Amino acid sequence: MNPLIRKYICLTGKRKLFLLVFSWMFLVSSVGAQPAILSHFTGSVEVQSKGSKLWKKASPKMFLREGVKLRTGKRSKATLIFQDGSRTELYPNTIVDMLQLVSPISLKQLGGKTRNKVKKTGRGFSIKTPTAVCSVRGTEFDVGINKDGATKLDVLEGVVNGLKIATGESMDVKAGESLNFDKNNTALPAVVPSETKQSGGQDSILKALAKREVGLDMTREQIQAAAAEEMKLAEFQEGKSLIDVNGNRVRIEEYILRRPRDVAEVDRDKAFKFVVLNTREGRFDFFIYKGVFNKALPVDLSVALRNVSGRALGTEPEYYLTAYEMTQSNLTDGLKDMADSGHLVQITFDGTNYTLSAHGVAADGKAGAVTDVATQGGIANGKVYDPVADVYKTVGASVDGIYDPSDDSFKFMKAGDTLWRTVFNRYAHLMGPASLIAPLTLNDIPAGTLTAPWFQYYSQAAGITNVATLESINNAGLTSDGTINMQGRNLTLYNDQTIGHGSFRYLNGHYAFDSYFPDSSNPDVPTFAENIHQRLITYYPRNNQDVPFEQYDTYVFSDNGKIAPISAFANVTSGRAFKQELIKWNYEQQTRSSSFGDRAIDLVVEPKILIRSGLIK
């Protein structure tokens, strides 16, 4: 099977992340010294170059230089992000001139309304209007210009100094206060309570809910209220309605934002959040992925997101994850994966053996000193080492390839190559009632026997600061513990693993793994005429009659619910061709578990947002 499509449809290894397409990265050029970016907009948005009188249609992720004007039309919005992380949101019928985009940032607002979120670490930010100059360092405020040209300043957070141009008089305006600046040569009026500050009633309750981040422990109404607020700050956003593989109409809302509030403040500048909401008649499903990188995110978020998969061929990646949390839910049942202590492992191949060197994390976030080294034989104990999956596989099994953005090709390691992988010292996989698993963290991992909702967890061995490999150390593969017959198939049982550098624990102490194409007469050898529907099941048997399990059915399908044939991707041999074909399809995963009863989590994702953001390259 073509390795690109195999990578897209197959769930392998211990980490059951919802979006397998994180393995693909979007080839993008670096931002360089570009001062501002039009990260997201809806409706009609236009730009006017410096010295020109012509307005041209804007494009997503467009870079803006000093002297450029930006305007939004009726029922349109746009979001600007600056080098220091500050951002300005333009509301409908607003015009902004980029006076100075290198800190201190200076904008000229010619009409309409803006909301401005200014970084405290920046060197200053000001907005000039026909009647006022509003200057700050680290705050959030609204600036509106009415039909008469008067300026209204509303401060949501911090303190903003407002200068009246006509008189030169200035005044500090605090959070929750409002001040008007007219054209007249009269003294500034007193500040008044901001009208945006709500108090009492159902409206204020919804506003309070909206201040929370979308999370696993929320009701449908709370999620929708919080998502509506998050979408205002989203850098990437997509949405559409379609028919899923079961013939049900589903509305998809997807967005990606930086600095999620439910990440610790010390890590917030390094963090992003990806949210998918699915609404069908009678049900609501959602997916959340939060990742923390090794350093503050760049202006062009896609530069970091293309490294989410944690695999880079050649030079050391600039950005890599140090922690992540993935959750899914149908509002009753939940799935949660967590990992932390992420660091880089450098893998070099001499044609016979793989040398894995685990690095600490330097102060600048790059790979620090080597803390752990291990050698993996290319073939050992009758199995072939797969450096990408970090496991030993039966001879003849498919070995994972690596996408190389330098020539847009998919390749395997050869002598002299270097591969960088992100490895985590702790990992946990939970399934059960959403309300039960929502508050649990990696620090809550139980000692001794694993019990629900903990299905799997991995931890570093005592005294080891970095883990070079997840499952295979010193040529030691998984240890067989006999077989179990499941649905007429004999599956190999694997024990809990205690390796030289860490330990992996499974519910009930062992597991059996099965993956196949349900519609195939020979599920182990699918043909290129078949549909892209793969089933993965992990069993955790207590005995032959008592077998907890988890099951994932994965589909690639069209907007009208037709499942894609494998042949659609048969001739795809490059990342560019993969994206061109993938954009025609959608992705659906149905998750079932013995801990869910007869229910399932059913999630659909449109790949456009993954391609735009760099999560697929």
Side-chain angles (χ1 to χ4, degrees):
M1 182 184 296
N2 186 300
L4 281 165
I5 186 58
R6 181 198 309 124
K7 193 67 179 177
Y8 180 66
I9 63 176
C10 293
L11 281 159
T12 58
K14 299 297 183 294
R15 299 186 184 94
K16 297 172 181 64
L17 291 178
F18 170 61
L19 293 175
L20 308 176
V21 286
F22 279 174
S23 300
W24 301 106
M25 302 175 181
F26 184 39
L27 183 60
V28 294
S29 59
S30 61
V31 177
Q34 300 289 353
I37 186 171
L38 177 59
S39 69
H40 174 70
F41 66 83
T42 58
S44 174
V45 177
E46 297 175 311
V47 294
Q48 185 184 82
S49 300
K50 185 177 181 179
S52 173
K53 294 183 179 181
L54 297 176
W55 288 93
K56 298 181 180 180
K57 185 178 180 181
S59 58
K61 297 175 68 63
M62 186 177 189
F63 294 117
L64 302 175
R65 299 182 181 277
E66 292 180 359
V68 172
K69 293 185 178 69
L70 185 71
R71 74 178 180 186
T72 56
K74 187 178 180 181
R75 294 191 296 273
S76 303
K77 287 186 177 182
T79 300
L80 284 170
I81 298 179
F82 305 99
Q83 272 190 331
D84 65 356
S86 299
R87 66 178 62 208
T88 293
E89 182 177 353
L90 284 70
Y91 287 80
N93 299 318
T94 299
I95 302 178
V96 168
D97 188 354
M98 316 295 159
L99 296 182
Q100 181 171 307
L101 297 179
V102 177
S103 295
I105 295 165
S106 178
L107 306 179
K108 185 176 182 179
Q109 185 173 328
L110 303 174
K113 180 180 178 180
T114 62
R115 171 159 293 183
N116 307 277
K117 181 82 172 179
V118 182
K119 294 280 291 185
K120 294 179 181 179
T121 54
R123 293 190 298 168
F125 185 102
S126 66
I127 288 189
K128 182 178 181 180
T129 74
T131 59
V133 178
C134 305
S135 304
V136 299
R137 183 192 294 270
T139 187
E140 185 173 359
F141 63 102
D142 291 350
V143 175
I145 303 173
N146 66 20
K147 294 180 180 179
D148 297 328
T151 298
K152 182 183 179 185
L153 170 64
D154 288 288
V155 180
L156 286 75
E157 180 181 315
V159 179
V160 178
N161 179 264
L163 170 70
K164 184 173 181 177
I165 293 177
T167 63
E169 183 183 3
S170 65
M171 186 179 299
D172 285 343
V173 184
K174 301 177 182 179
E177 295 179 340
S178 178
L179 184 61
N180 288 306
F181 304 81
D182 58 29
K183 295 180 179 180
N184 301 324
N185 190 20
T186 55
L188 277 173
V191 296
V192 296
S194 174
E195 294 177 3
T196 62
K197 186 175 181 180
Q198 303 292 329
S199 60
Q202 181 65 21
D203 186 53
S204 65
I205 295 173
L206 292 176
K207 290 286 185 180
L209 292 174
K211 292 181 180 180
R212 297 183 59 190
E213 296 280 323
V214 172
L216 192 61
D217 58 342
M218 301 170 71
T219 67
R220 176 172 176 169
E221 291 73 21
Q222 290 172 336
I223 291 172
Q224 290 173 325
E229 291 299 310
E230 287 186 341
M231 287 181 191
K232 294 179 181 179
L233 301 176
E235 298 194 25
F236 301 95
Q237 184 176 346
E238 295 290 342
K240 69 176 182 181
S241 296
L242 51 79
I243 304 299
D244 66 15
V245 297
N246 294 320
N248 300 311
R249 179 167 292 277
V250 54
R251 174 65 188 175
I252 308 171
E253 297 289 347
E254 306 166 318
Y255 60 89
I256 298 173
L257 73 161
R258 65 175 79 212
R259 302 194 85 251
R261 291 192 299 269
D262 50 353
V263 171
E265 179 63 35
V266 67
D267 291 325
R268 204 164 289 168
D269 285 340
K270 308 173 186 177
F272 80 99
K273 184 175 185 177
F274 176 31
V275 177
V276 180
L277 309 176
N278 283 189
T279 304
R280 298 176 178 86
E281 184 177 0
R283 68 174 296 147
F284 185 79
D285 301 82
F286 64 94
F287 163 87
I288 306 168
Y289 185 100
K290 289 180 291 186
V292 178
F293 282 92
N294 56 308
K295 62 179 185 178
L297 296 173
V299 173
D300 184 353
L301 189 57
S302 67
V303 173
L305 295 188
R306 65 184 180 180
N307 290 324
V308 163
S309 70
R311 302 183 182 103
L313 193 63
T315 58
E316 176 186 343
E318 182 180 2
Y319 295 91
Y320 61 90
L321 289 176
T322 59
Y324 71 81
E325 178 182 290
M326 182 276 290
T327 54
Q328 305 177 31
S329 179
N330 55 17
L331 296 178
T332 300
D333 310 294
L335 183 156
K336 186 175 186 179
D337 281 7
M338 301 174 287
D340 68 4
S341 304
H343 56 278
L344 290 173
V345 173
Q346 183 180 10
I347 305 174
T348 55
F349 184 46
D350 63 9
T352 303
N353 295 312
Y354 298 89
T355 300
L356 294 85
S357 304
H359 293 257
V361 181
D364 60 0
K366 294 183 178 180
V370 175
T371 60
D372 210 352
V373 178
T375 299
Q376 305 287 359
I379 298 179
N381 302 327
K383 293 187 175 182
V384 178
Y385 180 66
D386 183 341
V388 178
D390 196 17
V391 294
Y392 279 87
K393 296 182 175 179
T394 304
V395 175
S398 298
V399 177
D400 292 340
I402 311 155
Y403 178 69
D404 185 354
S406 66
D407 59 5
D408 189 27
S409 65
F410 192 83
K411 59 185 61 173
F412 302 97
M413 285 189 74
K414 62 181 185 299
D417 281 348
T418 298
L419 172 69
W420 294 86
R421 292 187 64 251
T422 305
V423 174
F424 301 90
N425 279 350
R426 295 196 301 175
Y427 163 78
H429 172 63
L430 296 74
M431 301 184 82
S435 59
L436 176 62
I437 68 177
L440 296 177
T441 69
L442 283 165
N443 294 324
D444 298 317
I445 292 176
T449 304
L450 203 65
T451 58
W454 296 90
F455 273 48
Q456 301 176 3
Y457 73 83
Y458 171 84
S459 61
Q460 65 190 66
I464 301 296
T465 57
N466 283 273
V467 180
T469 63
L470 177 65
E471 298 180 89
S472 309
I473 276 292
N474 300 325
N475 300 330
L478 296 172
T479 303
S480 175
D481 187 36
T483 62
I484 183 172
N485 187 283
M486 296 302 302
Q487 301 176 345
R489 305 182 72 184
N490 286 322
L491 305 176
T492 301
L493 284 176
Y494 297 104
N495 281 329
D496 285 344
Q497 299 164 63
T498 300
I499 315 167
H501 294 240
S503 60
F504 212 111
R505 297 288 176 260
Y506 310 100
L507 184 65
N508 305 324
H510 46 245
Y511 82 103
F513 176 87
D514 198 11
S515 178
Y516 58 93
F517 286 70
D519 297 330
S520 175
S521 57
N522 184 352
D524 294 318
V525 187
T527 70
F528 282 92
E530 292 179 276
N531 293 330
I532 301 179
H533 169 205
Q534 191 191 27
R535 176 170 295 163
L536 178 148
I537 311 178
T538 303
Y539 302 97
Y540 303 93
R542 294 186 174 94
N543 52 58
N544 283 327
Q545 287 73 44
D546 185 4
V547 186
F549 71 93
E550 54 183 323
Q551 175 179 314
Y552 303 85
D553 283 273
T554 303
Y555 305 85
V556 177
F557 69 104
S558 66
D559 285 359
N560 60 8
K562 181 181 178 181
I563 302 175
I566 294 176
S567 58
F569 292 84
N571 296 318
V572 172
T573 58
S574 69
R576 182 183 298 274
F578 177 69
K579 289 184 295 181
Q580 290 174 344
E581 181 62 34
L582 183 61
I583 202 70
K584 305 173 186 177
W585 306 95
N586 306 286
Y587 178 87
E588 183 168 0
Q589 186 177 81
Q590 297 169 355
T591 303
R592 295 173 174 82
S593 171
S594 51
S595 64
F596 293 175
D598 58 357
R599 296 175 298 274
I601 300 173
D602 193 349
L603 285 159
V604 175
V605 170
E606 178 190 16
K608 184 186 296 185
I609 193 172
L610 306 173
I611 295 173
R612 284 184 56 212
S613 66
L615 288 172
I616 297 178
K617 72 172 185 181

